[in-house]
Amino acid sequence: MLWEVSSENGTEGYLVGSTHIVKPELYPLDDIYQQAFEKSDVIGFELSYDSVKVKAKSLIQKLGIYPKGKTLESTLSDDTYQLLKTRLDTLGLPVNRFQRMEPWFVAINITVMQLRKAGYSGQQGIDKHFYTKAKEAGKERVALE
């Protein structure tokens, strides 16, 4: 989705609704996306991919992994743990692989694994696509979060 926005003082911009994980056959995008990109001096993204590369591992360790001695099994209710175990079994994934992960991180991992199996790729995401293009073009990039 692409919206053109403007103000009474003549400031113009574009807002693109995109996804982080897409199928490669989405490309090439419609020309209107390239036209909006070319008209733009500053490109805003949800986050800075350069910063994420540097900080991701430490943030995941800090926010997504339980400290020693704490596990999914020890924090989830028995019913929820059994639901998770059943779901992982249907995906052919051992529950032990996820024991140290916080529930939100488990959910993201399961979703990403299923999307990859279906042919989707995070390397193909619209935001990543335009971040790379903006960097190559020397356009100013800002992170909104």
Side-chain angles (χ1 to χ4, degrees):
M1 297 172 276
L2 178 116
W3 295 271
E4 184 174 356
V5 293
S6 61
S7 68
E8 291 178 4
N9 71 2
T11 302
E12 293 181 353
Y14 301 91
L15 180 64
V16 175
S18 68
T19 57
H20 301 301
I21 301 175
V22 300
K23 286 190 173 184
E25 53 265 23
L26 176 71
Y27 296 95
L29 295 172
D30 190 283
D31 287 342
I32 196 157
Y33 290 94
Q34 184 61 33
Q35 292 166 12
F37 174 81
E38 289 171 6
K39 288 182 183 179
S40 301
D41 298 320
V42 178
I43 313 291
F45 297 90
E46 180 179 4
L47 47 81
S48 167
Y49 280 99
D50 294 332
S51 294
V52 167
K53 285 179 187 176
V54 172
K55 297 177 183 176
K57 190 172 183 174
S58 65
L59 283 174
I60 288 170
Q61 191 66 34
K62 180 180 175 183
L63 303 172
I65 305 296
Y66 283 127
K68 286 185 180 182
K70 194 172 184 182
T71 64
L72 271 175
E73 189 170 13
S74 69
T75 55
L76 296 177
S77 71
D78 291 341
D79 289 344
T80 301
Y81 185 76
Q82 281 307 313
L83 286 170
L84 174 62
K85 188 172 179 333
T86 300
R87 181 71 183 124
L88 291 173
D89 287 346
T90 64
L91 296 171
L93 299 168
V95 72
N96 289 342
R97 178 176 171 184
F98 298 89
Q99 279 297 334
R100 296 277 317 280
M101 294 181 189
E102 294 267 358
W104 69 268
F105 194 45
V106 173
I108 288 172
N109 272 273
I110 291 171
T111 301
V112 169
M113 287 178 202
Q114 288 178 289
L115 287 168
R116 283 185 182 149
K117 279 186 178 181
Y120 289 79
S121 167
Q123 298 304 312
Q124 303 290 330
I126 295 169
D127 47 352
K128 177 99 174 187
H129 171 79
F130 280 110
Y131 191 87
T132 301
K133 286 180 72 73
K135 192 172 182 177
E136 289 170 354
K139 290 186 181 262
E140 182 180 351
R141 298 170 316 280
V142 296
L144 302 174
E145 284 188 2

